[in-house]
Amino acid sequence: MTANLTDTPAQSRAYRRSGTAWLVSAGLIAMLVLLPVLALVFQALQGSAGLWSHLISTILPVALKDTVILLCGVGLLAAVLGTTTAWLVTAYDFPGRGVLEWALLLPLAVPTYIIAYAYLDILHPVGPVQGAIRWLLGYSSPREFRLPDIRSITGCIFLLGFVLYPYVYIPTRAMFLTQTANLIEASRTLGISRRRVFWHVALPLARPAIAVGISLALMETLNDIGASEFLGVRTLTVSIYTTWVTRGDLPGAAQIALSLLFVVVALIALERWARREQRYSISAQRSRYFEPHRVTATKGLLLFCLGLLPVVIGFVAPASYLVTHAWSRFLFAGLSPRFLSEAINTVVVAAAATAITLLFGLVVAYAMRLQPGRMSIWFYRLSTMGYAAPGTVVAIGVLVILAMVDRLIDQAAIAWFGLSTGLLFIGSGAALLYAYTARFLAISAGGTEAGLARIPQSFDHAARTLGQTTEGTFRYIHLPLSKAALTAGGLLVFVDCVKELPATLLLRPLNFETFATHLYGEAARGTYEEAAIAALAIVIIGIIPVILLSKVGRPKA
């Protein structure tokens, strides 16, 4: 924290004490996020050598193979869909282009496990799609004609790719929009076709954005448990869940989770290595937005249909299925008696986790502003590392930590008062709040830090000159000016908490159901129509960040 020449010695000491308090608080928050990872390592070491050899010989080879194949397939499909659609709506002007700009974001509203749940019924041998195809071809039974089973690693790659491609579309389109038009025009004057401009100019310049988008899509793929299990793909994440819940083997689950964490670290390192020598800068005075090329009506219709295809597969088809079946279920039996309790559980836990996450993110980001330096930066990085870890990994670490705390409190209560407190934290839902906070703190801290970065330091100096304390400056200047960033971050955290399935499945208290766990249970039993209303509720809530993201990256008129 820089000194102000007008400060008195007492004011300088007060500002240093205040800055130190924020920094210490940020350090404690970073430790809370780091503890589950350390606990995971500790728990993994509890397993015997025989257990590890069993995992290596039976579970890990299949799980690792399926995980790698799934990551490669989803990454490739998401990259192709995200990059081509981004170029489509950026480089060409055609009727419906404005609709596609935001519609291409809609698959983000559908969690991966919901699209698998929907397509399992849509593409079932006796479902509507295969039934219509058989009718057109003159077949009367699935024995005579049926499509390949969607329950396969190919089907999983296809469905996840069409849901996760917006992670590539968003940064890539932003890069295409901000690339200076001078480069494109220079290429065109040299007689290069628009297709070659894409391959030789635009695409190489957008590679950093594509790499970032692919890494985000792969992180979401690693976090998935519902879609992979529904579609019969035995990934590392699914193996963690089955090893822990089905076999009751927590050390074995922790060891698989460490393997998954290694894959995550490798992905992050690979993404950074791929961008190690890629730098691109533009002149702020000369650059302007890329002007799209107007095409003929026929070609425009073709481009619109091509751009609409991912939207139909990734959002329209599953959303239509959910609306139809939810309405049929409502007309037949009304709302389930559990719907209200599940809605309350979902909203209350997500809201509480959002409030804690926003508070912690604000502390970590504000500590960086007050005490810029290596220590505050490291606290920030450690606080945001949870977002890279899949929910199952975070859940195991949180369980180990809180189980230890519960055991200590219970022993102390028995020794002092003769009463047993039982599972005080795990049984009350505190474990869920801890896992949500550790997992999504990066969203809150990143958004808050970006909001604070827009406030000039001169505002801080002016406030200090007027005798305002650090807390007063925060309350009357920084907080009001960061309100938009905090609101956007809070909405994104809330929606992610509502959609989170792996951590919720593993850490929920007994008889505690949310929309996500209810949907998972019904889909696992094959009673798809029972979960349609809950799935539709999750999708409707998921529309919120899509509305926010649709406003990002658009050039102002």
Side-chain angles (χ1 to χ4, degrees):
M1 185 165 52
T2 57
N4 193 319
L5 296 178
T6 61
D7 287 344
T8 65
Q11 285 178 318
S12 297
R13 286 193 297 272
Y15 270 88
R16 282 195 297 270
R17 284 196 299 270
S18 178
T20 302
W22 283 90
L23 188 62
V24 170
S25 300
L28 293 175
I29 293 170
M31 182 56 64
L32 284 175
V33 176
L34 185 61
L35 274 176
V37 178
L38 299 177
L40 182 68
V41 176
F42 172 79
Q43 187 63 43
L45 294 176
Q46 305 305 304
S48 64
L51 174 63
W52 182 242
S53 62
H54 169 72
L55 291 174
I56 292 178
S57 61
T58 59
I59 296 176
L60 281 179
V62 176
L64 189 58
K65 175 187 172 185
D66 283 359
T67 300
V68 171
I69 294 174
L70 185 63
L71 290 177
C72 293
V74 172
L76 179 61
L77 184 57
V80 171
L81 291 174
T83 305
T84 53
T85 52
W87 178 252
L88 187 73
V89 298
T90 304
Y92 299 98
D93 186 12
F94 51 88
R97 171 174 166 267
V99 174
L100 282 182
E101 285 180 350
W102 59 265
L104 284 164
L105 297 172
L106 288 174
L108 282 180
V110 187
T112 53
Y113 55 87
I114 287 184
I115 195 171
Y117 152 82
Y119 273 104
L120 276 173
D121 208 19
I122 293 174
L123 297 179
H124 194 273
V126 295
V129 173
Q130 296 209 43
I133 294 175
R134 281 194 299 272
W135 179 80
L136 289 173
L137 298 178
Y139 295 107
S140 59
S141 169
R143 294 189 184 92
E144 299 176 10
F145 174 84
R146 62 187 297 174
L147 295 176
D149 194 353
I150 191 69
R151 286 187 175 91
S152 63
I153 195 165
T154 304
C156 194
I157 289 171
F158 180 82
L159 294 184
L160 292 184
F162 273 90
V163 173
L164 300 176
Y165 78 85
Y167 284 105
V168 179
Y169 167 79
I170 294 169
T172 305
R173 179 171 174 263
M175 181 65 80
F176 285 153
L177 282 171
T178 54
Q179 285 175 357
T180 176
N182 296 335
L183 294 175
I184 306 298
E185 291 175 358
S187 303
R188 297 291 290 156
T189 57
L190 294 175
I192 300 177
S193 66
R194 190 163 291 267
R195 181 180 301 176
R196 292 186 64 193
V197 166
F198 169 74
W199 285 107
H200 298 289
V201 180
L203 188 60
L205 293 175
R207 279 176 57 194
I210 296 171
V212 170
I214 292 174
S215 66
L216 291 174
L218 296 185
M219 295 298 178
E220 290 297 318
T221 303
L222 283 174
N223 186 55
D224 169 74
I225 187 173
S228 300
E229 186 170 8
F230 295 162
L231 298 173
V233 180
R234 191 176 174 182
T235 62
L236 287 170
T237 306
V238 174
S239 298
I240 292 170
Y241 179 74
T242 55
T243 302
W244 181 359
V245 177
T246 306
R247 300 186 180 92
D249 184 0
L250 184 57
Q255 292 174 356
I256 301 174
L258 275 183
S259 304
L260 182 57
L261 196 59
F262 175 78
V263 174
V264 171
V265 173
L267 282 176
I268 295 174
L270 182 63
E271 183 266 331
R272 291 184 177 178
W273 177 83
R275 297 190 293 121
R276 67 194 186 282
E277 296 180 354
Q278 295 176 4
R279 300 289 185 272
Y280 175 64
S281 61
I282 60 175
S283 170
Q285 296 178 343
R286 296 174 133 187
S287 64
R288 64 180 185 272
Y289 281 110
F290 185 14
E291 291 293 333
H293 172 66
R294 185 72 180 179
V295 298
T296 63
T298 303
K299 188 175 181 180
L301 179 61
L302 176 62
L303 293 179
F304 178 76
C305 292
L306 288 175
L308 195 62
L309 182 62
V311 182
V312 172
I313 296 175
F315 179 80
V316 175
S320 301
Y321 165 87
L322 293 178
V323 170
T324 302
H325 280 69
W327 182 246
S328 299
R329 175 65 186 170
F330 179 76
L331 292 178
F332 175 72
L335 288 176
S336 168
R338 298 179 297 170
F339 182 84
L340 182 59
S341 64
E342 291 170 359
I344 292 174
N345 290 342
T346 301
V347 172
V348 169
V349 172
T354 299
I356 298 171
T357 305
L358 279 179
L359 176 62
F360 284 7
L362 190 59
V363 171
V364 171
Y366 200 60
M368 276 217 310
R369 184 179 181 91
L370 292 180
Q371 297 277 20
R374 184 172 298 177
M375 186 174 294
S376 61
I377 291 174
W378 270 107
F379 287 162
Y380 177 87
R381 289 175 178 173
L382 290 175
S383 299
T384 56
M385 66 179 290
Y387 194 65
T392 47
V393 174
V394 175
I396 292 179
V398 167
L399 178 73
V400 173
I401 290 292
L402 292 188
M404 189 182 304
V405 173
D406 277 342
R407 190 160 50 247
L408 292 175
I409 293 176
D410 185 58
Q411 292 173 354
I414 292 174
W416 294 347
F417 308 108
L419 299 173
S420 174
T421 57
L423 298 175
L424 189 62
F425 286 103
I426 295 176
S428 64
L432 267 183
L433 297 180
Y434 190 172
Y436 286 168
T437 302
R439 177 115 166 77
F440 303 122
L441 186 58
I443 300 174
S444 170
T448 304
E449 193 273 332
L452 291 173
R454 298 188 184 99
I455 304 174
Q457 287 286 348
S458 58
F459 285 23
D460 302 45
H461 299 155
R464 292 177 63 177
T465 302
L466 295 173
Q468 194 61 258
T469 62
T470 303
E471 288 70 24
T473 305
F474 169 76
R475 180 180 178 184
Y476 297 111
I477 296 178
H478 295 138
L479 195 57
L481 293 177
S482 303
K483 195 174 294 183
L486 287 171
T487 302
L491 286 172
L492 291 172
V493 171
F494 179 82
V495 172
D496 277 339
C497 290
V498 170
K499 297 192 298 183
E500 174 65 24
L501 178 62
T504 312
L505 273 176
L506 296 172
L507 295 176
R508 58 180 170 152
L510 291 175
N511 300 318
F512 184 90
E513 294 285 349
T514 65
F515 286 150
T517 59
H518 172 72
L519 167 63
Y520 177 85
E522 298 293 352
R525 287 188 290 270
T527 53
Y528 301 111
E529 66 280 355
E530 296 290 334
I533 296 178
L536 184 61
I538 295 174
V539 172
I540 291 173
I541 294 172
I543 292 290
I544 296 173
V546 173
I547 295 173
L548 293 174
L549 289 170
S550 67
K551 301 180 183 298
V552 177
R554 287 188 177 183
K556 296 180 179 179

Short mmCIF file of all heavy atoms in Angstrom, two decimals, residues 290-325:
data_model
loop_
_atom_site.label_atom_id
_atom_site.label_comp_id
_atom_site.label_asym_id
_atom_site.label_seq_id
_atom_site.Cartn_x
_atom_site.Cartn_y
_atom_site.Cartn_z
N PHE A 290 -14.03 -5.59 -36.76
CA PHE A 290 -14.05 -6.28 -38.04
C PHE A 290 -15.44 -6.12 -38.68
O PHE A 290 -16.44 -6.50 -38.09
CB PHE A 290 -13.72 -7.75 -37.77
CG PHE A 290 -13.59 -8.58 -39.01
CD1 PHE A 290 -13.46 -8.02 -40.27
CD2 PHE A 290 -13.57 -9.97 -38.92
CE1 PHE A 290 -13.33 -8.79 -41.40
CE2 PHE A 290 -13.44 -10.76 -40.03
CZ PHE A 290 -13.32 -10.17 -41.27
N GLU A 291 -15.48 -5.56 -39.89
CA GLU A 291 -16.75 -5.37 -40.58
C GLU A 291 -17.13 -6.66 -41.32
O GLU A 291 -16.37 -7.16 -42.14
CB GLU A 291 -16.63 -4.22 -41.60
CG GLU A 291 -16.48 -2.84 -40.97
CD GLU A 291 -17.73 -2.42 -40.22
OE1 GLU A 291 -18.83 -2.90 -40.59
OE2 GLU A 291 -17.62 -1.62 -39.28
N PRO A 292 -18.30 -7.23 -41.04
CA PRO A 292 -18.69 -8.48 -41.70
C PRO A 292 -19.01 -8.26 -43.17
O PRO A 292 -19.40 -7.18 -43.60
CB PRO A 292 -19.93 -8.91 -40.92
CG PRO A 292 -20.49 -7.65 -40.35
CD PRO A 292 -19.31 -6.77 -40.07
N HIS A 293 -18.86 -9.33 -43.93
CA HIS A 293 -19.09 -9.30 -45.37
C HIS A 293 -20.54 -9.70 -45.66
O HIS A 293 -21.00 -10.76 -45.24
CB HIS A 293 -18.13 -10.27 -46.07
CG HIS A 293 -18.41 -10.46 -47.52
ND1 HIS A 293 -18.27 -9.44 -48.45
CD2 HIS A 293 -18.82 -11.56 -48.23
CE1 HIS A 293 -18.59 -9.90 -49.65
NE2 HIS A 293 -18.93 -11.18 -49.54
N ARG A 294 -21.25 -8.85 -46.41
CA ARG A 294 -22.64 -9.14 -46.74
C ARG A 294 -22.70 -10.21 -47.82
O ARG A 294 -22.00 -10.13 -48.84
CB ARG A 294 -23.32 -7.86 -47.26
CG ARG A 294 -24.81 -8.02 -47.52
CD ARG A 294 -25.59 -8.13 -46.24
NE ARG A 294 -27.02 -8.29 -46.46
CZ ARG A 294 -27.91 -8.42 -45.51
NH1 ARG A 294 -27.52 -8.39 -44.24
NH2 ARG A 294 -29.19 -8.55 -45.78
N VAL A 295 -23.54 -11.24 -47.61
CA VAL A 295 -23.64 -12.34 -48.56
C VAL A 295 -25.03 -12.33 -49.20
O VAL A 295 -25.94 -11.62 -48.77
CB VAL A 295 -23.39 -13.70 -47.87
CG1 VAL A 295 -21.98 -13.75 -47.30
CG2 VAL A 295 -24.42 -13.95 -46.77
N THR A 296 -25.19 -13.15 -50.24
CA THR A 296 -26.48 -13.25 -50.92
C THR A 296 -27.51 -13.92 -50.02
O THR A 296 -27.17 -14.57 -49.02
CB THR A 296 -26.33 -14.05 -52.22
OG1 THR A 296 -25.92 -15.39 -51.88
CG2 THR A 296 -25.29 -13.41 -53.13
N ALA A 297 -28.79 -13.79 -50.40
CA ALA A 297 -29.87 -14.35 -49.59
C ALA A 297 -29.76 -15.86 -49.48
O ALA A 297 -29.97 -16.44 -48.40
CB ALA A 297 -31.22 -13.95 -50.18
N THR A 298 -29.44 -16.52 -50.58
CA THR A 298 -29.34 -17.98 -50.56
C THR A 298 -28.20 -18.45 -49.66
O THR A 298 -28.36 -19.35 -48.82
CB THR A 298 -29.12 -18.52 -51.99
OG1 THR A 298 -30.18 -18.07 -52.82
CG2 THR A 298 -29.06 -20.04 -51.98
N LYS A 299 -27.04 -17.83 -49.84
CA LYS A 299 -25.90 -18.20 -49.00
C LYS A 299 -26.16 -17.82 -47.54
O LYS A 299 -25.75 -18.54 -46.62
CB LYS A 299 -24.63 -17.51 -49.51
CG LYS A 299 -23.36 -17.98 -48.81
CD LYS A 299 -22.11 -17.37 -49.42
CE LYS A 299 -20.87 -17.87 -48.71
NZ LYS A 299 -19.63 -17.28 -49.29
N GLY A 300 -26.84 -16.69 -47.34
CA GLY A 300 -27.17 -16.27 -45.98
C GLY A 300 -28.06 -17.29 -45.28
O GLY A 300 -27.88 -17.58 -44.10
N LEU A 301 -29.04 -17.84 -46.00
CA LEU A 301 -29.91 -18.86 -45.43
C LEU A 301 -29.13 -20.11 -45.06
O LEU A 301 -29.35 -20.71 -44.00
CB LEU A 301 -31.03 -19.20 -46.42
CG LEU A 301 -32.03 -20.28 -45.97
CD1 LEU A 301 -32.76 -19.83 -44.72
CD2 LEU A 301 -33.01 -20.59 -47.09
N LEU A 302 -28.19 -20.49 -45.94
CA LEU A 302 -27.35 -21.66 -45.66
C LEU A 302 -26.49 -21.44 -44.42
O LEU A 302 -26.39 -22.30 -43.55
CB LEU A 302 -26.47 -21.96 -46.88
CG LEU A 302 -25.46 -23.11 -46.71
CD1 LEU A 302 -26.19 -24.42 -46.44
CD2 LEU A 302 -24.58 -23.22 -47.96
N LEU A 303 -25.88 -20.25 -44.33
CA LEU A 303 -25.04 -19.94 -43.17
C LEU A 303 -25.86 -19.91 -41.88
O LEU A 303 -25.41 -20.38 -40.83
CB LEU A 303 -24.33 -18.59 -43.37
CG LEU A 303 -23.28 -18.54 -44.48
CD1 LEU A 303 -22.69 -17.15 -44.58
CD2 LEU A 303 -22.17 -19.56 -44.23
N PHE A 304 -27.08 -19.38 -41.96
CA PHE A 304 -27.94 -19.33 -40.78
C PHE A 304 -28.30 -20.75 -40.31
O PHE A 304 -28.28 -21.04 -39.11
CB PHE A 304 -29.21 -18.55 -41.09
CG PHE A 304 -30.18 -18.48 -39.94
CD1 PHE A 304 -29.94 -17.63 -38.87
CD2 PHE A 304 -31.31 -19.29 -39.92
CE1 PHE A 304 -30.82 -17.57 -37.79
CE2 PHE A 304 -32.20 -19.23 -38.85
CZ PHE A 304 -31.95 -18.37 -37.79
N CYS A 305 -28.60 -21.62 -41.25
CA CYS A 305 -28.93 -23.01 -40.89
C CYS A 305 -27.73 -23.73 -40.28
O CYS A 305 -27.87 -24.48 -39.31
CB CYS A 305 -29.43 -23.77 -42.12
SG CYS A 305 -31.03 -23.19 -42.73
N LEU A 306 -26.54 -23.48 -40.83
CA LEU A 306 -25.34 -24.08 -40.27
C LEU A 306 -25.08 -23.59 -38.86
O LEU A 306 -24.73 -24.37 -37.96
CB LEU A 306 -24.13 -23.78 -41.16
CG LEU A 306 -24.06 -24.51 -42.50
CD1 LEU A 306 -22.88 -24.01 -43.32
CD2 LEU A 306 -23.96 -26.03 -42.29
N GLY A 307 -25.25 -22.28 -38.65
CA GLY A 307 -25.05 -21.72 -37.32
C GLY A 307 -26.11 -22.16 -36.33
O GLY A 307 -25.86 -22.26 -35.12
N LEU A 308 -27.31 -22.45 -36.83
CA LEU A 308 -28.41 -22.85 -35.96
C LEU A 308 -28.31 -24.31 -35.52
O LEU A 308 -28.87 -24.69 -34.47
CB LEU A 308 -29.74 -22.62 -36.68
CG LEU A 308 -31.01 -22.65 -35.83
CD1 LEU A 308 -30.98 -21.54 -34.79
CD2 LEU A 308 -32.24 -22.53 -36.73
N LEU A 309 -27.58 -25.13 -36.28
CA LEU A 309 -27.50 -26.56 -35.98
C LEU A 309 -26.98 -26.85 -34.56
O LEU A 309 -27.60 -27.64 -33.83
CB LEU A 309 -26.63 -27.26 -37.03
CG LEU A 309 -26.49 -28.78 -36.88
CD1 LEU A 309 -27.84 -29.46 -37.02
CD2 LEU A 309 -25.49 -29.31 -37.91
N PRO A 310 -25.86 -26.24 -34.11
CA PRO A 310 -25.41 -26.51 -32.74
C PRO A 310 -26.43 -26.05 -31.70
O PRO A 310 -26.54 -26.67 -30.63
CB PRO A 310 -24.11 -25.70 -32.63
CG PRO A 310 -23.67 -25.45 -34.02
CD PRO A 310 -24.91 -25.36 -34.84
N VAL A 311 -27.16 -24.97 -31.98
CA VAL A 311 -28.16 -24.47 -31.04
C VAL A 311 -29.30 -25.48 -30.91
O VAL A 311 -29.79 -25.75 -29.81
CB VAL A 311 -28.69 -23.10 -31.49
CG1 VAL A 311 -29.71 -22.57 -30.49
CG2 VAL A 311 -27.56 -22.12 -31.68
N VAL A 312 -29.72 -26.04 -32.04
CA VAL A 312 -30.82 -27.02 -32.02
C VAL A 312 -30.41 -28.27 -31.25
O VAL A 312 -31.16 -28.76 -30.39
CB VAL A 312 -31.23 -27.39 -33.46
CG1 VAL A 312 -32.21 -28.55 -33.46
CG2 VAL A 312 -31.83 -26.18 -34.16
N ILE A 313 -29.20 -28.78 -31.53
CA ILE A 313 -28.75 -30.01 -30.86
C ILE A 313 -28.44 -29.76 -29.39
O ILE A 313 -28.80 -30.56 -28.52
CB ILE A 313 -27.52 -30.59 -31.59
CG1 ILE A 313 -27.91 -31.01 -33.01
CG2 ILE A 313 -26.95 -31.77 -30.82
CD1 ILE A 313 -26.73 -31.49 -33.83
N GLY A 314 -27.77 -28.63 -29.10
CA GLY A 314 -27.31 -28.37 -27.74
C GLY A 314 -28.33 -27.73 -26.83
O GLY A 314 -28.17 -27.81 -25.60
N PHE A 315 -29.40 -27.13 -27.39
CA PHE A 315 -30.37 -26.47 -26.52
C PHE A 315 -31.82 -26.72 -26.91
O PHE A 315 -32.63 -27.17 -26.08
CB PHE A 315 -30.13 -24.96 -26.48
CG PHE A 315 -31.11 -24.22 -25.63
CD1 PHE A 315 -30.97 -24.19 -24.26
CD2 PHE A 315 -32.20 -23.56 -26.20
CE1 PHE A 315 -31.90 -23.53 -23.45
CE2 PHE A 315 -33.13 -22.89 -25.42
CZ PHE A 315 -32.97 -22.88 -24.04
N VAL A 316 -32.18 -26.44 -28.16
CA VAL A 316 -33.59 -26.47 -28.56
C VAL A 316 -34.20 -27.85 -28.36
O VAL A 316 -35.29 -28.00 -27.77
CB VAL A 316 -33.75 -26.01 -30.02
CG1 VAL A 316 -35.21 -26.15 -30.46
CG2 VAL A 316 -33.29 -24.56 -30.16
N ALA A 317 -33.52 -28.91 -28.85
CA ALA A 317 -34.08 -30.27 -28.75
C ALA A 317 -34.25 -30.71 -27.30
O ALA A 317 -35.35 -31.13 -26.90
CB ALA A 317 -33.20 -31.25 -29.52
N PRO A 318 -33.18 -30.62 -26.45
CA PRO A 318 -33.40 -31.04 -25.05
C PRO A 318 -34.37 -30.15 -24.30
O PRO A 318 -35.15 -30.64 -23.48
CB PRO A 318 -31.99 -30.99 -24.44
CG PRO A 318 -31.19 -30.13 -25.33
CD PRO A 318 -31.76 -30.29 -26.70
N ALA A 319 -34.34 -28.82 -24.56
CA ALA A 319 -35.27 -27.93 -23.86
C ALA A 319 -36.72 -28.22 -24.27
O ALA A 319 -37.62 -28.21 -23.41
CB ALA A 319 -34.91 -26.48 -24.16
N SER A 320 -36.94 -28.47 -25.55
CA SER A 320 -38.30 -28.81 -26.01
C SER A 320 -38.77 -30.11 -25.36
O SER A 320 -39.93 -30.24 -24.96
CB SER A 320 -38.32 -28.94 -27.53
OG SER A 320 -37.91 -27.74 -28.15
N TYR A 321 -37.86 -31.08 -25.28
CA TYR A 321 -38.20 -32.34 -24.62
C TYR A 321 -38.60 -32.11 -23.17
O TYR A 321 -39.60 -32.66 -22.68
CB TYR A 321 -36.99 -33.28 -24.70
CG TYR A 321 -37.07 -34.46 -23.77
CD1 TYR A 321 -37.71 -35.63 -24.15
CD2 TYR A 321 -36.49 -34.41 -22.51
CE1 TYR A 321 -37.79 -36.72 -23.30
CE2 TYR A 321 -36.56 -35.49 -21.65
CZ TYR A 321 -37.21 -36.64 -22.04
OH TYR A 321 -37.29 -37.70 -21.19
N LEU A 322 -37.82 -31.28 -22.46
CA LEU A 322 -38.11 -31.02 -21.06
C LEU A 322 -39.45 -30.31 -20.88
O LEU A 322 -40.23 -30.65 -19.98
CB LEU A 322 -36.99 -30.19 -20.43
CG LEU A 322 -35.62 -30.87 -20.31
CD1 LEU A 322 -34.60 -29.90 -19.74
CD2 LEU A 322 -35.71 -32.12 -19.44
N VAL A 323 -39.71 -29.31 -21.73
CA VAL A 323 -40.98 -28.58 -21.64
C VAL A 323 -42.15 -29.53 -21.87
O VAL A 323 -43.14 -29.53 -21.11
CB VAL A 323 -41.01 -27.42 -22.64
CG1 VAL A 323 -42.40 -26.80 -22.72
CG2 VAL A 323 -39.99 -26.35 -22.24
N THR A 324 -42.05 -30.36 -22.92
CA THR A 324 -43.15 -31.28 -23.26
C THR A 324 -43.41 -32.26 -22.12
O THR A 324 -44.56 -32.46 -21.69
CB THR A 324 -42.81 -32.03 -24.55
OG1 THR A 324 -42.59 -31.09 -25.60
CG2 THR A 324 -43.95 -32.96 -24.93
N HIS A 325 -42.35 -32.90 -21.63
CA HIS A 325 -42.54 -33.92 -20.60
C HIS A 325 -42.88 -33.30 -19.25
O HIS A 325 -43.63 -33.92 -18.47
CB HIS A 325 -41.27 -34.78 -20.49
CG HIS A 325 -41.18 -35.82 -21.55
ND1 HIS A 325 -40.95 -35.52 -22.87
CD2 HIS A 325 -41.30 -37.18 -21.49
CE1 HIS A 325 -40.92 -36.63 -23.58
NE2 HIS A 325 -41.14 -37.66 -22.76
#
